[in-house]
Structure formats: C-alpha cells, structure tokens
Amino acid sequence: MTSLSVDSSTPMVAGLPSPELSDEETADLVPGQKSQPTITPDTSGPVSRERKLGDSELSYYLPGRAAGVNDMYLHLGFKSPERIVVWGRVRAAWAILRMRHPLLASRVVMRGYDDVRFVYSPPLSPEHALAEAGSQLEYRHQTKDDLIESYLNGPRTLSNERLSYLVVSRTPAKLLTPPSTPRISEVSPVSPLERLTDDDIATDYELFICAAHSIGDGMALHQFANDFFGLLGCASSQEAMEQLVADEWKQRCGQRLPPDVPALPASVEENLGTDPSRFRRVAGRIDFQNSLDKQIGGQAFPRRSDPVRHTIVPTTSFDEKQTKAMLKACKAQGVSISSAMFAICNIAWARMSPREKQELPMMMYAAMNIRPCFPKPIHDSYWFLAVGYFNIILPNFIPASCDVSKTFWHRARKAKEQSSRAANSPMIQSRNREMAIKRGKQSRAWAKEDDEKEAGVCIPSAPKSTSSDKPPEPPRSPSVALLGLSLLGNLDGIYKHANFPDIRLHTLTTGSRQRHSGMLLFGYTFAGKLWISLGYDENGFDRETVDLFWANVDAAVHELLIQ
C-alpha cells in the first residue's frame, strides 16, 4: 500500500533558438522567465472550468509559490529509433494526454489563502491543442544528471501558469531543431524531422516530466509515463496520431460537459467526503489526536544553517541477479522489499548512534496511496492528489545478544505490521481527512507569515499566558522523524513494456524540489533492478553524517538482503 511555470509559443533545443525569432523574442522562451507569449483564447469557445484547491493540495501549493518546493520530476532513460521520437509524434501524444488530464493543462489563480483555484481553459480546436502542447514541450541536449541538477537547483521551471512541462533530451548534441510551433490557423501535416530519421538506429534519449505536486502524486506520474510511451510507441503514423488529437478534442473539449460530469478531478477531501454523523466526526478527531500522541521519535540528522539550498540525489542500483536474490530472501521471511527498506535504514542508523542516544526510538514517515479509499471517481483522469501518511517506529539499538540478521528480519516484519495497520485501519478515512485539515491550516498560517515577512510587516509575538490557575501541561515525548521514505514498489507492474516494443526503458529517477534541510529516500524496482536514491539538501546537513549513513545503507543491503 505504500507509495507513495511558464508559457512559450515556440519549442527550443537548449542553446539553439529557432532562427525565425528575434533575440528579444527568444529571451521570452527561456524557462524561468516571467514574461512569455501566451495564446489568447477566443471568448466564444468553450468556457473555463475551475474548482478550489482542497486542503491537501494547498499544503503542497502554498509553500512552493516562490521557489518551487514540492515540484515533482520523473526521469526515464530509454533507447528508441529516431523516427519514434520526432517532434510531431511527441507533441501529439502530449496534446492527447493534456486533454485527458486537464489538471496538467490548468493554471492556478490565488485570490486569498482560502480561495485558490485550478482554472482550466479547454483548447479551442485540435490545432490549438497541438499549439498549447508544443508551448510546454522542449527538446534539449543535456545528460540525465544535468537535467536533474538544473531542475532541482536552478530557476524554477513551473509556475502558476505552468503546472506541467515535458523535456526530451539526447546526448551527444545531435538532436535536430524542431520546427516552430504552428499558429492556430496552420498545422503542418508532416514534420520535417520525419524525413531525416534513420529507422535502423536505436538512440539514447532522456524523457523528463515535470509536474506540480498539487495536481498529483507519484502514482499519477508513473501511470502517465506508461500511457505516454504507449501512445508514442504505437504503430500509428503521425497523421493518425493527429487525427486522434482531433477525436480527443471533439470528445472532451468540443462540446459542453453534461451537468453530472465534474469539470476537473476531485480533491482528496471531496473524494473522502464528510461523515454525516456528528458523533463519528468527533470520534474521528479524538482518534486522530490519539494517533499523533503515539508517534514517538528522537533521532535526527545534525543540521546546519546555509541560506543556499543544494539538493543532490546519490543513487545506487542492483543488477537483476542481486535483485532476484533480495526478492527471494524477502519472500522467505514474509515481507516485501519496502518493509525491508525500513529495517535497512533502521540498522544503518543504529550502527552509527552512540549509546547515550539509543534510548529514544527511530521514526520514519512514508507516503500511502489512498486511492483505494475513494469511491469510483466520476472523472476518468488519474491526475489528482491521493496521498496519505503514516509513520514507522523501530528501536534504535542492536542487541548484542542477538544475531544482527535476526534483528533485521524481525524489524522488517514489524515495519510490515505497522504499514498494514495504517493501510487497513477502519479509521483511515477520518485520519486522512483530519490530517488534510491540519496540513491545510498550517500551510495557510505559514504562507501568511512568509508573505508578511516578505512585505516587511513586523509580526508581534503571541503574549505569554500569566494565569496561575491553568495547570502546567505534562511534558510531551519528542516526535521527530529521521527521514521520509517513498517506497514505490515494483514499477514494472505499471509500465507495460510490451505495448511499446520499439522503446526500451532502462533507467528511472524521480524526486522533487526540496525545502531547506529536506531529505527523502526512494526505493523501487524497475527494469528488473532494485534502485535506491537519497535526495537531500547537502548544505542543510552535516555531510559526514549523511555520507556515513548512506554507506551503511549500501553495506546493510549487501550484508542482510543479498544472500
């Protein structure tokens, strides 16, 4: 169960602007610039569709307004003949999916902390859909590492006006400049690129998908990537794909929606609904608070203050033979790789903890896919947020009287028990509902405080209570998480490789732009291999401590999982 902004009217190859544009015009097309040309819709066309952001969506949107905290990315390395990855085919596939999943093509309008809205303006025609898709698509010649580095640490790619973006990259710098995006009134039936491809050569490409976390989660990203490759790698010609664009537009944009069809996918809170019983609502709030009180954790990485955030993502993978050995060992012990990864992190940290710091347990938080909690959605898009959270708490010592292997597998089973208890709790809906409310309130308060600081408004500190009648509150146990884990499971179950036989996916990396002193460990199997990555702000932590922990993780995997 665990899983977990700018417009430009002409695509560019990095460093190679279209020759038809002046220097002044191309300056507007660089990601991160604030002023870009936009397509102005005809007011006689389909009306805009909108809805307010829910609490969970706000908790991701508000902190990311300035620097893009939480902006997600998914990188996929693949081999393919050039004829498949030409501009026209990629743009058509992107256009189709933007119409199927309108939050990808929406913008955010903020009128107040309690009134933030997704606004979707459907394309006015199939040609308009292609033009809009082309404006959010870029061809580059960067390596995987360069793509990730620039996205995580460079100027923000996304914005209120751009909630998703697509990059296709190829190295070495041999990628041909795609044609200018056609105006709404003219679309070339065949891209010039198609006449220049070599069908017999499989070339290395990088696909880089960017999306705001407020519109979806990791499961949506991976399902989208599978559907994208399914369209791109199909046997249809480019003309047939553009006809599919026209058919998709006619079905979804060329007519007004029936009154019983929602304009956009629902928020987490709408999907969870409100319990009609007042007693059950009160009971849910009490249960939620009690569950929070039980979350005890006293382990944390030493932090340091640095105004400049710099996220790095050390990644390690294990070959198919090693991965099969790990899966076999986990199956024999009745656990999954995900449960084992909690225990791996626990052992790695416990081995570096001094005795005086071993009294308090170690807590880790993880994301949970709560789609199974929702009723059958009316809107057929899977691009919406559906993430809950739970904690895993394990002891922070290794008994000297017990074999470390036995301790490891015991704790892996304890992690499985806690994960299952969280996922199968009869209170799962109310807990996620209350968590969404809590996160929404916090995000509004913090956003208001950030805006006041930015405006130079002096914020008075809250007066201390002087009442002697109020009894002192009992001391609370610390509730600190060492790090977060995003355990995506077997992604080969999502990617239907047989549906795109001419495309071979071989590498996957995922993550998000992080806050200062942010840290998140990812674990998943893909292309038959286990991948583990640690995304963290290297300027926000003591580097030696993190390096030792990461080395311990790798050593524990080899010692305890690979048999």
Side-chain angles (χ1 to χ4, degrees), residues 4-31:
L4 253 186
S5 320
V6 248
D7 289 335
S8 57
S9 61
T10 303
M12 296 174 60
V13 176
L16 298 173
S18 171
E20 295 143 337
L21 300 178
S22 67
D23 292 340
E24 292 79 5
E25 289 172 311
T26 57
D28 286 335
L29 302 180
V30 180

Side-chain angles (χ1 to χ4, degrees), residues 20 29 33 40 66 109 127 130 173 230 244 271 296 344 414 462 481 555:
E20 295 143 337
L29 302 180
Q33 297 288 339
T40 304
V109 176
E127 295 80 10
L130 287 166
L244 185 56
N271 277 314
I296 302 174
I344 288 288
K414 287 297 179 183

Side-chain angles (χ1 to χ4, degrees), residues 42 44 109 161 170 184 249 280 289 305 320 379 441 510 535 538:
D42 182 351
S44 64
V109 176
E161 300 299 317
R170 170 177 163 184
I184 296 175
W249 179 85
R280 289 173 63 89
Q289 187 57 53
S305 178
E320 292 187 43
H379 202 290
K441 286 180 179 178
T510 188
E538 65 173 344

